Amino acid sequence: MKENKNSNSFLSTKTIAALVTTILALGTISAWYAYNNLEVKNQDNKPTETIPNPDNNSNNNQQKIEIYGLNEELKIIPNTVDINIDKIENPQESLTIAFNTLLTGLNSNNLTSAIPENTKLMSLTVKEDGIHIDLSSEFTTGGGSASMIGRLGQIVYTASSLNPNVNVWINVDGKPLDILGEEGLMVEQPMTRDIFIESFPN
């Protein structure tokens, strides 16, 4: 009789252990399933993150444009700069910013500018016949013929940075620039890069 009791107790213990194991297993499966569903929902609701591109960092609103300076041999050399184009809608605005950058300083260790300080851009207009530029009277002051040729080249090349073949019309204080400097350099209007090279060969 004692053996039956012990046997029944043993079976009961095994049965209970099996049930507990089954319940724990079912609970673990349910928890795993719920966790995975929750993770998927969280991923679906998670806002998309933009991974920054190191090659294009903060440059989405930048445009590269060339402004021109002079090297030690007074040759006209491009200097590429970034300009902010948040509100720029046309080439006229791009060139205006480029010219204001040129007139306030090249920010280059290798290039200089022959354009006199305090020279201001009075206006810049893009028309069907070319780029029309009006500079303040400071543009014509100081320097010899080499300086005059250099500064004229800086203006012509910067104005034509978006289109190398464009006509450039240059005014000073609202009047066409026909003669530059005390040595009387003749300035053809309109001026182009090709005309500049023909008129003032190195």
Side-chain angles (χ1 to χ4, degrees), residues 34-79:
Y35 172 78
N36 279 277
N37 280 346
L38 180 62
E39 188 177 37
V40 170
K41 287 181 180 178
N42 286 340
Q43 287 178 353
D44 291 340
N45 294 330
K46 187 177 181 181
T48 303
E49 295 182 0
T50 302
I51 300 174
N53 183 349
D55 296 329
N56 194 29
N57 188 24
S58 302
N59 287 331
N60 290 333
N61 62 338
Q62 298 290 313
Q63 172 183 328
K64 293 187 181 299
I65 195 168
E66 290 180 339
I67 61 177
Y68 285 78
L70 304 175
N71 65 9
E72 294 180 355
E73 299 174 353
L74 297 182
K75 291 184 178 180
I76 302 166
I77 305 296
N79 181 39

mmCIF file of all heavy atoms in Angstrom, residues 34-79:
data_model
loop_
_atom_site.group_PDB
_atom_site.id
_atom_site.type_symbol
_atom_site.label_atom_id
_atom_site.label_comp_id
_atom_site.label_asym_id
_atom_site.label_seq_id
_atom_site.Cartn_x
_atom_site.Cartn_y
_atom_site.Cartn_z
ATOM 1 N N ALA A 34 5.003 38.335 -28.815
ATOM 2 C CA ALA A 34 4.551 39.700 -28.505
ATOM 3 C C ALA A 34 5.688 40.699 -28.664
ATOM 4 O O ALA A 34 5.514 41.804 -29.189
ATOM 5 C CB ALA A 34 4.000 39.742 -27.077
ATOM 6 N N TYR A 35 6.891 40.327 -28.225
ATOM 7 C CA TYR A 35 8.047 41.222 -28.324
ATOM 8 C C TYR A 35 8.372 41.547 -29.777
ATOM 9 O O TYR A 35 8.616 42.689 -30.138
ATOM 10 C CB TYR A 35 9.253 40.577 -27.648
ATOM 11 C CG TYR A 35 10.539 41.335 -27.864
ATOM 12 C CD1 TYR A 35 10.837 42.492 -27.145
ATOM 13 C CD2 TYR A 35 11.464 40.904 -28.825
ATOM 14 C CE1 TYR A 35 11.996 43.189 -27.358
ATOM 15 C CE2 TYR A 35 12.626 41.598 -29.043
ATOM 16 C CZ TYR A 35 12.890 42.740 -28.298
ATOM 17 O OH TYR A 35 14.043 43.425 -28.519
ATOM 18 N N ASN A 36 8.353 40.490 -30.612
ATOM 19 C CA ASN A 36 8.659 40.694 -32.023
ATOM 20 C C ASN A 36 7.619 41.553 -32.706
ATOM 21 O O ASN A 36 7.934 42.386 -33.550
ATOM 22 C CB ASN A 36 8.807 39.347 -32.742
ATOM 23 C CG ASN A 36 10.178 38.729 -32.541
ATOM 24 O OD1 ASN A 36 11.123 39.060 -33.233
ATOM 25 N ND2 ASN A 36 10.301 37.857 -31.547
ATOM 26 N N ASN A 37 6.342 41.339 -32.373
ATOM 27 C CA ASN A 37 5.288 42.187 -32.949
ATOM 28 C C ASN A 37 5.470 43.630 -32.524
ATOM 29 O O ASN A 37 5.303 44.554 -33.307
ATOM 30 C CB ASN A 37 3.903 41.685 -32.512
ATOM 31 C CG ASN A 37 3.454 40.492 -33.338
ATOM 32 O OD1 ASN A 37 4.038 40.212 -34.382
ATOM 33 N ND2 ASN A 37 2.428 39.784 -32.884
ATOM 34 N N LEU A 38 5.811 43.819 -31.243
ATOM 35 C CA LEU A 38 6.033 45.167 -30.742
ATOM 36 C C LEU A 38 7.212 45.811 -31.437
ATOM 37 O O LEU A 38 7.187 46.980 -31.806
ATOM 38 C CB LEU A 38 6.272 45.117 -29.225
ATOM 39 C CG LEU A 38 6.531 46.466 -28.529
ATOM 40 C CD1 LEU A 38 5.302 47.354 -28.688
ATOM 41 C CD2 LEU A 38 6.842 46.247 -27.052
ATOM 42 N N GLU A 39 8.286 45.048 -31.677
ATOM 43 C CA GLU A 39 9.481 45.577 -32.338
ATOM 44 C C GLU A 39 9.179 45.997 -33.765
ATOM 45 O O GLU A 39 9.612 47.040 -34.230
ATOM 46 C CB GLU A 39 10.587 44.531 -32.317
ATOM 47 C CG GLU A 39 11.925 45.068 -32.819
ATOM 48 C CD GLU A 39 13.014 44.030 -32.712
ATOM 49 O OE1 GLU A 39 12.704 42.837 -32.948
ATOM 50 O OE2 GLU A 39 14.136 44.399 -32.400
ATOM 51 N N VAL A 40 8.384 45.166 -34.472
ATOM 52 C CA VAL A 40 8.011 45.501 -35.843
ATOM 53 C C VAL A 40 7.188 46.771 -35.880
ATOM 54 O O VAL A 40 7.394 47.654 -36.705
ATOM 55 C CB VAL A 40 7.229 44.327 -36.483
ATOM 56 C CG1 VAL A 40 6.624 44.752 -37.810
ATOM 57 C CG2 VAL A 40 8.140 43.133 -36.673
ATOM 58 N N LYS A 41 6.225 46.911 -34.927
ATOM 59 C CA LYS A 41 5.389 48.110 -34.891
ATOM 60 C C LYS A 41 6.236 49.348 -34.607
ATOM 61 O O LYS A 41 6.051 50.407 -35.192
ATOM 62 C CB LYS A 41 4.303 47.955 -33.815
ATOM 63 C CG LYS A 41 3.208 46.978 -34.212
ATOM 64 C CD LYS A 41 2.147 46.895 -33.128
ATOM 65 C CE LYS A 41 1.047 45.917 -33.536
ATOM 66 N NZ LYS A 41 0.012 45.770 -32.503
ATOM 67 N N ASN A 42 7.164 49.179 -33.667
ATOM 68 C CA ASN A 42 8.037 50.313 -33.351
ATOM 69 C C ASN A 42 8.872 50.724 -34.548
ATOM 70 O O ASN A 42 9.092 51.904 -34.799
ATOM 71 C CB ASN A 42 8.954 49.959 -32.183
ATOM 72 C CG ASN A 42 8.207 49.942 -30.857
ATOM 73 O OD1 ASN A 42 7.136 50.537 -30.756
ATOM 74 N ND2 ASN A 42 8.751 49.257 -29.865
ATOM 75 N N GLN A 43 9.334 49.746 -35.326
ATOM 76 C CA GLN A 43 10.121 50.072 -36.518
ATOM 77 C C GLN A 43 9.259 50.760 -37.563
ATOM 78 O O GLN A 43 9.702 51.662 -38.261
ATOM 79 C CB GLN A 43 10.733 48.796 -37.089
ATOM 80 C CG GLN A 43 11.878 48.245 -36.252
ATOM 81 C CD GLN A 43 12.435 46.961 -36.815
ATOM 82 O OE1 GLN A 43 11.871 46.408 -37.767
ATOM 83 N NE2 GLN A 43 13.519 46.478 -36.226
ATOM 84 N N ASP A 44 8.001 50.313 -37.665
ATOM 85 C CA ASP A 44 7.100 50.943 -38.643
ATOM 86 C C ASP A 44 6.810 52.385 -38.281
ATOM 87 O O ASP A 44 6.649 53.244 -39.136
ATOM 88 C CB ASP A 44 5.776 50.164 -38.728
ATOM 89 C CG ASP A 44 5.977 48.795 -39.372
ATOM 90 O OD1 ASP A 44 6.998 48.628 -40.059
ATOM 91 O OD2 ASP A 44 5.125 47.906 -39.165
ATOM 92 N N ASN A 45 6.703 52.654 -36.964
ATOM 93 C CA ASN A 45 6.344 53.994 -36.526
ATOM 94 C C ASN A 45 7.545 54.900 -36.335
ATOM 95 O O ASN A 45 7.408 56.089 -36.142
ATOM 96 C CB ASN A 45 5.577 53.918 -35.187
ATOM 97 C CG ASN A 45 4.235 53.219 -35.362
ATOM 98 O OD1 ASN A 45 3.638 53.294 -36.429
ATOM 99 N ND2 ASN A 45 3.774 52.544 -34.315
ATOM 100 N N LYS A 46 8.735 54.314 -36.370
ATOM 101 C CA LYS A 46 9.948 55.092 -36.150
ATOM 102 C C LYS A 46 10.242 55.989 -37.341
ATOM 103 O O LYS A 46 10.213 55.545 -38.477
ATOM 104 C CB LYS A 46 11.123 54.145 -35.917
ATOM 105 C CG LYS A 46 12.405 54.868 -35.502
ATOM 106 C CD LYS A 46 13.499 53.857 -35.222
ATOM 107 C CE LYS A 46 14.773 54.545 -34.773
ATOM 108 N NZ LYS A 46 15.847 53.579 -34.518
ATOM 109 N N PRO A 47 10.482 57.294 -37.126
ATOM 110 C CA PRO A 47 10.759 58.186 -38.253
ATOM 111 C C PRO A 47 12.043 57.793 -38.961
ATOM 112 O O PRO A 47 12.997 57.326 -38.353
ATOM 113 C CB PRO A 47 10.905 59.564 -37.583
ATOM 114 C CG PRO A 47 11.250 59.257 -36.154
ATOM 115 C CD PRO A 47 10.535 57.972 -35.823
ATOM 116 N N THR A 48 12.040 57.986 -40.282
ATOM 117 C CA THR A 48 13.217 57.645 -41.081
ATOM 118 C C THR A 48 14.348 58.607 -40.776
ATOM 119 O O THR A 48 14.171 59.822 -40.787
ATOM 120 C CB THR A 48 12.876 57.711 -42.575
ATOM 121 O OG1 THR A 48 11.790 56.830 -42.814
ATOM 122 C CG2 THR A 48 14.061 57.302 -43.421
ATOM 123 N N GLU A 49 15.512 58.074 -40.489
ATOM 124 C CA GLU A 49 16.680 58.902 -40.210
ATOM 125 C C GLU A 49 17.514 59.045 -41.465
ATOM 126 O O GLU A 49 17.729 58.085 -42.192
ATOM 127 C CB GLU A 49 17.534 58.266 -39.106
ATOM 128 C CG GLU A 49 16.820 58.199 -37.757
ATOM 129 C CD GLU A 49 17.711 57.606 -36.694
ATOM 130 O OE1 GLU A 49 18.850 57.260 -37.034
ATOM 131 O OE2 GLU A 49 17.258 57.471 -35.554
ATOM 132 N N THR A 50 17.959 60.269 -41.700
ATOM 133 C CA THR A 50 18.827 60.520 -42.847
ATOM 134 C C THR A 50 20.274 60.346 -42.436
ATOM 135 O O THR A 50 20.753 60.998 -41.517
ATOM 136 C CB THR A 50 18.609 61.955 -43.369
ATOM 137 O OG1 THR A 50 17.233 62.097 -43.706
ATOM 138 C CG2 THR A 50 19.469 62.211 -44.598
ATOM 139 N N ILE A 51 20.949 59.454 -43.097
ATOM 140 C CA ILE A 51 22.359 59.224 -42.797
ATOM 141 C C ILE A 51 23.184 60.274 -43.516
ATOM 142 O O ILE A 51 23.096 60.429 -44.732
ATOM 143 C CB ILE A 51 22.796 57.814 -43.248
ATOM 144 C CG1 ILE A 51 21.955 56.770 -42.514
ATOM 145 C CG2 ILE A 51 24.277 57.600 -43.008
ATOM 146 C CD1 ILE A 51 22.210 55.365 -42.982
ATOM 147 N N PRO A 52 23.937 61.062 -42.783
ATOM 148 C CA PRO A 52 24.710 62.131 -43.441
ATOM 149 C C PRO A 52 25.749 61.571 -44.384
ATOM 150 O O PRO A 52 26.407 60.579 -44.091
ATOM 151 C CB PRO A 52 25.370 62.864 -42.252
ATOM 152 C CG PRO A 52 25.373 61.864 -41.140
ATOM 153 C CD PRO A 52 24.162 61.002 -41.341
ATOM 154 N N ASN A 53 25.859 62.212 -45.538
ATOM 155 C CA ASN A 53 26.864 61.839 -46.526
ATOM 156 C C ASN A 53 28.089 62.714 -46.312
ATOM 157 O O ASN A 53 28.027 63.929 -46.477
ATOM 158 C CB ASN A 53 26.288 62.061 -47.936
ATOM 159 C CG ASN A 53 27.265 61.622 -49.015
ATOM 160 O OD1 ASN A 53 28.427 61.352 -48.741
ATOM 161 N ND2 ASN A 53 26.779 61.536 -50.237
ATOM 162 N N PRO A 54 29.222 62.138 -45.947
ATOM 163 C CA PRO A 54 30.402 62.963 -45.671
ATOM 164 C C PRO A 54 30.882 63.738 -46.874
ATOM 165 O O PRO A 54 31.545 64.756 -46.744
ATOM 166 C CB PRO A 54 31.457 61.927 -45.219
ATOM 167 C CG PRO A 54 30.976 60.625 -45.773
ATOM 168 C CD PRO A 54 29.480 60.716 -45.782
ATOM 169 N N ASP A 55 30.547 63.266 -48.084
ATOM 170 C CA ASP A 55 30.985 63.971 -49.293
ATOM 171 C C ASP A 55 30.054 65.117 -49.656
ATOM 172 O O ASP A 55 30.337 65.913 -50.523
ATOM 173 C CB ASP A 55 31.049 62.994 -50.484
ATOM 174 C CG ASP A 55 32.094 61.920 -50.261
ATOM 175 O OD1 ASP A 55 33.091 62.225 -49.579
ATOM 176 O OD2 ASP A 55 31.907 60.791 -50.751
ATOM 177 N N ASN A 56 28.883 65.185 -48.989
ATOM 178 C CA ASN A 56 27.919 66.218 -49.335
ATOM 179 C C ASN A 56 27.379 66.862 -48.079
ATOM 180 O O ASN A 56 26.211 67.203 -47.987
ATOM 181 C CB ASN A 56 26.771 65.594 -50.147
ATOM 182 C CG ASN A 56 25.919 66.637 -50.824
ATOM 183 O OD1 ASN A 56 26.406 67.711 -51.151
ATOM 184 N ND2 ASN A 56 24.644 66.335 -51.013
ATOM 185 N N ASN A 57 28.231 66.985 -47.073
ATOM 186 C CA ASN A 57 27.806 67.473 -45.778
ATOM 187 C C ASN A 57 27.516 68.968 -45.821
ATOM 188 O O ASN A 57 28.375 69.784 -46.083
ATOM 189 C CB ASN A 57 28.900 67.180 -44.758
ATOM 190 C CG ASN A 57 28.446 67.475 -43.349
ATOM 191 O OD1 ASN A 57 27.258 67.470 -43.066
ATOM 192 N ND2 ASN A 57 29.412 67.725 -42.481
ATOM 193 N N SER A 58 26.221 69.302 -45.568
ATOM 194 C CA SER A 58 25.772 70.693 -45.499
ATOM 195 C C SER A 58 25.996 71.447 -46.799
ATOM 196 O O SER A 58 26.081 72.671 -46.806
ATOM 197 C CB SER A 58 26.500 71.434 -44.366
ATOM 198 O OG SER A 58 26.268 70.791 -43.144
ATOM 199 N N ASN A 59 26.087 70.735 -47.910
ATOM 200 C CA ASN A 59 26.320 71.402 -49.178
ATOM 201 C C ASN A 59 25.104 71.370 -50.082
ATOM 202 O O ASN A 59 25.200 71.686 -51.263
ATOM 203 C CB ASN A 59 27.502 70.753 -49.906
ATOM 204 C CG ASN A 59 28.824 71.113 -49.259
ATOM 205 O OD1 ASN A 59 28.952 72.173 -48.675
ATOM 206 N ND2 ASN A 59 29.789 70.235 -49.357
ATOM 207 N N ASN A 60 23.959 70.965 -49.542
ATOM 208 C CA ASN A 60 22.759 70.892 -50.364
ATOM 209 C C ASN A 60 22.339 72.272 -50.832
ATOM 210 O O ASN A 60 21.638 72.408 -51.815
ATOM 211 C CB ASN A 60 21.628 70.225 -49.582
ATOM 212 C CG ASN A 60 21.895 68.753 -49.365
ATOM 213 O OD1 ASN A 60 22.602 68.138 -50.156
ATOM 214 N ND2 ASN A 60 21.344 68.193 -48.302
ATOM 215 N N ASN A 61 22.703 73.319 -50.103
ATOM 216 C CA ASN A 61 22.310 74.658 -50.480
ATOM 217 C C ASN A 61 23.511 75.468 -50.964
ATOM 218 O O ASN A 61 23.516 76.676 -50.889
ATOM 219 C CB ASN A 61 21.653 75.371 -49.291
ATOM 220 C CG ASN A 61 22.610 75.519 -48.135
ATOM 221 O OD1 ASN A 61 23.581 74.778 -48.034
ATOM 222 N ND2 ASN A 61 22.358 76.471 -47.266
ATOM 223 N N GLN A 62 24.516 74.793 -51.451
ATOM 224 C CA GLN A 62 25.721 75.457 -51.929
ATOM 225 C C GLN A 62 25.908 75.241 -53.425
ATOM 226 O O GLN A 62 25.581 74.194 -53.961
ATOM 227 C CB GLN A 62 26.961 74.916 -51.196
ATOM 228 C CG GLN A 62 26.956 75.150 -49.706
ATOM 229 C CD GLN A 62 27.149 76.605 -49.349
ATOM 230 O OE1 GLN A 62 28.030 77.280 -49.875
ATOM 231 N NE2 GLN A 62 26.309 77.105 -48.474
ATOM 232 N N GLN A 63 26.408 76.284 -54.089
ATOM 233 C CA GLN A 63 26.753 76.196 -55.499
ATOM 234 C C GLN A 63 28.198 76.624 -55.651
ATOM 235 O O GLN A 63 28.628 77.609 -55.053
ATOM 236 C CB GLN A 63 25.847 77.101 -56.329
ATOM 237 C CG GLN A 63 26.263 77.204 -57.793
ATOM 238 C CD GLN A 63 25.394 78.163 -58.578
ATOM 239 O OE1 GLN A 63 24.218 78.320 -58.296
ATOM 240 N NE2 GLN A 63 25.971 78.819 -59.555
ATOM 241 N N LYS A 64 28.949 75.892 -56.434
ATOM 242 C CA LYS A 64 30.351 76.257 -56.683
ATOM 243 C C LYS A 64 30.404 77.201 -57.881
ATOM 244 O O LYS A 64 29.738 76.991 -58.879
ATOM 245 C CB LYS A 64 31.188 75.006 -56.943
ATOM 246 C CG LYS A 64 31.324 74.103 -55.725
ATOM 247 C CD LYS A 64 32.298 72.973 -55.993
ATOM 248 C CE LYS A 64 32.412 72.055 -54.783
ATOM 249 N NZ LYS A 64 32.916 72.772 -53.599
ATOM 250 N N ILE A 65 31.196 78.244 -57.741
ATOM 251 C CA ILE A 65 31.354 79.202 -58.827
ATOM 252 C C ILE A 65 32.791 79.714 -58.800
ATOM 253 O O ILE A 65 33.436 79.723 -57.746
ATOM 254 C CB ILE A 65 30.345 80.362 -58.692
ATOM 255 C CG1 ILE A 65 30.254 81.151 -60.004
ATOM 256 C CG2 ILE A 65 30.691 81.269 -57.523
ATOM 257 C CD1 ILE A 65 29.085 82.115 -60.054
ATOM 258 N N GLU A 66 33.293 80.120 -59.949
ATOM 259 C CA GLU A 66 34.681 80.575 -60.039
ATOM 260 C C GLU A 66 34.755 82.098 -60.044
ATOM 261 O O GLU A 66 34.040 82.760 -60.794
ATOM 262 C CB GLU A 66 35.337 80.022 -61.308
ATOM 263 C CG GLU A 66 35.584 78.524 -61.272
ATOM 264 C CD GLU A 66 36.243 77.998 -62.528
ATOM 265 O OE1 GLU A 66 36.150 78.688 -63.568
ATOM 266 O OE2 GLU A 66 36.849 76.912 -62.487
ATOM 267 N N ILE A 67 35.602 82.608 -59.175
ATOM 268 C CA ILE A 67 35.982 84.016 -59.246
ATOM 269 C C ILE A 67 37.478 84.038 -59.578
ATOM 270 O O ILE A 67 38.190 83.072 -59.322
ATOM 271 C CB ILE A 67 35.675 84.778 -57.943
ATOM 272 C CG1 ILE A 67 36.448 84.174 -56.773
ATOM 273 C CG2 ILE A 67 34.183 84.745 -57.649
ATOM 274 C CD1 ILE A 67 36.244 84.922 -55.470
ATOM 275 N N TYR A 68 37.942 85.129 -60.155
ATOM 276 C CA TYR A 68 39.295 85.129 -60.739
ATOM 277 C C TYR A 68 40.214 86.124 -60.038
ATOM 278 O O TYR A 68 39.851 87.273 -59.775
ATOM 279 C CB TYR A 68 39.216 85.432 -62.235
ATOM 280 C CG TYR A 68 38.704 84.249 -63.024
ATOM 281 C CD1 TYR A 68 37.359 83.945 -63.051
ATOM 282 C CD2 TYR A 68 39.585 83.403 -63.693
ATOM 283 C CE1 TYR A 68 36.879 82.840 -63.744
ATOM 284 C CE2 TYR A 68 39.122 82.293 -64.390
ATOM 285 C CZ TYR A 68 37.770 82.018 -64.409
ATOM 286 O OH TYR A 68 37.305 80.903 -65.084
ATOM 287 N N GLY A 69 41.425 85.639 -59.755
ATOM 288 C CA GLY A 69 42.468 86.468 -59.183
ATOM 289 C C GLY A 69 43.711 86.414 -60.048
ATOM 290 O O GLY A 69 43.691 85.899 -61.179
ATOM 291 N N LEU A 70 44.807 86.917 -59.510
ATOM 292 C CA LEU A 70 46.066 86.977 -60.257
ATOM 293 C C LEU A 70 47.147 86.227 -59.484
ATOM 294 O O LEU A 70 47.235 86.341 -58.262
ATOM 295 C CB LEU A 70 46.498 88.432 -60.464
ATOM 296 C CG LEU A 70 45.491 89.363 -61.152
ATOM 297 C CD1 LEU A 70 46.030 90.794 -61.163
ATOM 298 C CD2 LEU A 70 45.178 88.896 -62.563
ATOM 299 N N ASN A 71 47.972 85.478 -60.222
ATOM 300 C CA ASN A 71 49.104 84.824 -59.579
ATOM 301 C C ASN A 71 50.311 85.758 -59.586
ATOM 302 O O ASN A 71 50.205 86.939 -59.965
ATOM 303 C CB ASN A 71 49.419 83.478 -60.235
ATOM 304 C CG ASN A 71 49.877 83.621 -61.681
ATOM 305 O OD1 ASN A 71 50.132 84.728 -62.179
ATOM 306 N ND2 ASN A 71 50.009 82.500 -62.365
ATOM 307 N N GLU A 72 51.456 85.245 -59.211
ATOM 308 C CA GLU A 72 52.655 86.089 -59.121
ATOM 309 C C GLU A 72 53.075 86.651 -60.472
ATOM 310 O O GLU A 72 53.718 87.700 -60.534
ATOM 311 C CB GLU A 72 53.809 85.276 -58.509
ATOM 312 C CG GLU A 72 53.566 84.882 -57.053
ATOM 313 C CD GLU A 72 54.719 84.078 -56.490
ATOM 314 O OE1 GLU A 72 55.641 83.751 -57.268
ATOM 315 O OE2 GLU A 72 54.701 83.781 -55.280
ATOM 316 N N GLU A 73 52.708 85.960 -61.546
ATOM 317 C CA GLU A 73 53.049 86.431 -62.892
ATOM 318 C C GLU A 73 51.938 87.288 -63.496
ATOM 319 O O GLU A 73 51.956 87.596 -64.680
ATOM 320 C CB GLU A 73 53.322 85.226 -63.794
ATOM 321 C CG GLU A 73 54.484 84.362 -63.306
ATOM 322 C CD GLU A 73 54.637 83.091 -64.122
ATOM 323 O OE1 GLU A 73 53.758 82.824 -64.972
ATOM 324 O OE2 GLU A 73 55.633 82.368 -63.917
ATOM 325 N N LEU A 74 50.969 87.644 -62.663
ATOM 326 C CA LEU A 74 49.822 88.457 -63.070
ATOM 327 C C LEU A 74 48.954 87.767 -64.124
ATOM 328 O O LEU A 74 48.296 88.436 -64.928
ATOM 329 C CB LEU A 74 50.275 89.833 -63.582
ATOM 330 C CG LEU A 74 50.992 90.720 -62.548
ATOM 331 C CD1 LEU A 74 51.356 92.064 -63.164
ATOM 332 C CD2 LEU A 74 50.128 90.924 -61.309
ATOM 333 N N LYS A 75 48.984 86.463 -64.116
ATOM 334 C CA LYS A 75 48.080 85.712 -64.990
ATOM 335 C C LYS A 75 46.754 85.493 -64.269
ATOM 336 O O LYS A 75 46.712 85.337 -63.046
ATOM 337 C CB LYS A 75 48.700 84.365 -65.370
ATOM 338 C CG LYS A 75 49.897 84.505 -66.301
ATOM 339 C CD LYS A 75 50.422 83.131 -66.732
ATOM 340 C CE LYS A 75 51.584 83.292 -67.697
ATOM 341 N NZ LYS A 75 52.121 81.970 -68.147
ATOM 342 N N ILE A 76 45.679 85.464 -65.032
ATOM 343 C CA ILE A 76 44.337 85.355 -64.470
ATOM 344 C C ILE A 76 44.056 83.881 -64.154
ATOM 345 O O ILE A 76 44.078 83.031 -65.044
ATOM 346 C CB ILE A 76 43.289 85.912 -65.453
ATOM 347 C CG1 ILE A 76 43.621 87.373 -65.768
ATOM 348 C CG2 ILE A 76 41.883 85.788 -64.877
ATOM 349 C CD1 ILE A 76 42.887 87.917 -66.958
ATOM 350 N N ILE A 77 43.785 83.612 -62.880
ATOM 351 C CA ILE A 77 43.632 82.245 -62.393
ATOM 352 C C ILE A 77 42.290 82.112 -61.666
ATOM 353 O O ILE A 77 41.925 82.975 -60.863
ATOM 354 C CB ILE A 77 44.771 81.865 -61.420
ATOM 355 C CG1 ILE A 77 46.135 82.086 -62.086
ATOM 356 C CG2 ILE A 77 44.622 80.424 -60.943
ATOM 357 C CD1 ILE A 77 46.403 81.206 -63.282
ATOM 358 N N PRO A 78 41.551 81.020 -61.914
ATOM 359 C CA PRO A 78 40.270 80.843 -61.214
ATOM 360 C C PRO A 78 40.455 80.395 -59.776
ATOM 361 O O PRO A 78 41.394 79.682 -59.436
ATOM 362 C CB PRO A 78 39.576 79.752 -62.038
ATOM 363 C CG PRO A 78 40.690 78.962 -62.634
ATOM 364 C CD PRO A 78 41.794 79.952 -62.901
ATOM 365 N N ASN A 79 39.553 80.823 -58.932
ATOM 366 C CA ASN A 79 39.486 80.379 -57.549
ATOM 367 C C ASN A 79 38.046 79.945 -57.288
ATOM 368 O O ASN A 79 37.124 80.762 -57.357
ATOM 369 C CB ASN A 79 39.891 81.517 -56.606
ATOM 370 C CG ASN A 79 39.855 81.076 -55.157
ATOM 371 O OD1 ASN A 79 40.229 79.957 -54.832
ATOM 372 N ND2 ASN A 79 39.398 81.954 -54.279
#
